[in-house]
Amino acid sequence: MLVSGLGAALAIAGLVVTLIVGPGSGEADSDSALPATTTESSTSAPASSPVPAAATDGTAQQFVAELSPVGTTAYTGSITVNNVAYPHAIYQQFSGCSTEVKHTYDLNREWSRFSSVVGVADGGNTESALQFSVVADGKSVFTSGNIGVGVPPKVDIPVAGVENLTIAFTLLDSDSSSCTQLGNGVWGDPTLTK
């Protein structure tokens, strides 16, 4: 009787989990999914980027995607570049109708470094080339040159004493003859460090 009582308890627990969580992890409807959020397939999942929530030496860090830009709205979330997922990315979808986007963040002179990777999201037009730039208090401190699909370069810039930091995406080269989606420019997990 003890065995059958245990079996009944396990069956009830399974039913409760099924009712609360759902019957399984089915595919999401493509109409309800966000276009720039990556999805994982059952055959291979993208690698995750390192999560810099706290440095190993105890230094305070902040994802820029968790801050509000001044006067604009940034697209943020998880996106994949060169098969690496960046869960705290800032990205911009480009078409022939939009060629440049800038976001400025108020740093209050509280941070010492800005770091990120930059690139074109997986699945983007292979003919597209983007340029990424950083402006600190009105002075250009980084320009990437032409970046296409592939291995994203790393950015690491000192920002000690900086009040306003602007990050920008510029569409340089593509088939921009129409307003079709050409790809997403990505600041992969941009991070401020004290």
Side-chain angles (χ1 to χ4, degrees):
M1 191 67 170
L2 179 62
V3 172
S4 62
L6 181 60
L10 290 174
I12 291 171
L15 177 62
V16 169
V17 168
T18 301
L19 291 174
I20 293 172
V21 176
S25 59
E27 296 285 326
D29 291 338
S30 61
D31 292 340
S32 65
L34 295 174
T37 301
T38 59
T39 58
E40 295 181 18
S41 68
S42 60
T43 57
S44 66
S48 293
S49 68
V51 178
T56 56
D57 64 359
T59 306
Q61 294 184 325
Q62 172 72 55
F63 287 114
V64 178
E66 295 172 349
L67 302 174
S68 296
V70 178
T72 61
T73 301
Y75 294 106
T76 61
S78 183
I79 198 159
T80 302
V81 177
N82 201 37
N83 206 34
V84 175
Y86 295 95
H88 303 279
I90 298 174
Y91 59 90
Q92 179 64 44
Q93 183 177 44
F94 284 95
S95 69
C97 294
S98 66
T99 58
E100 184 175 33
V101 173
K102 298 177 182 181
H103 299 295
T104 299
Y105 296 88
D106 186 0
L107 303 188
N108 291 323
R109 297 182 175 91
E110 296 175 6
W111 303 96
S112 63
R113 299 207 73 77
F114 169 82
S115 60
S116 184
V117 298
V118 294
V120 177
D122 293 352
N125 183 329
T126 59
E127 302 298 317
S128 297
L130 296 172
Q131 179 176 305
F132 297 82
S133 57
V134 178
V135 175
D137 290 336
K139 297 177 186 169
S140 178
V141 294
F142 170 79
T143 301
S144 68
N146 294 9
I147 304 293
V149 174
V151 179
K154 294 180 181 177
V155 178
D156 188 28
I157 301 166
V159 293
V162 171
E163 181 69 28
N164 295 302
L165 186 76
T166 301
I167 61 173
F169 313 79
T170 305
L171 178 64
L172 298 175
D173 189 27
S174 68
D175 177 13
S176 59
S177 59
S178 66
C179 291
T180 59
Q181 207 271 26
L182 298 172
N184 288 300
V186 179
W187 288 91
D189 292 352
T191 305
L192 295 165
T193 308
K194 289 212 177 188

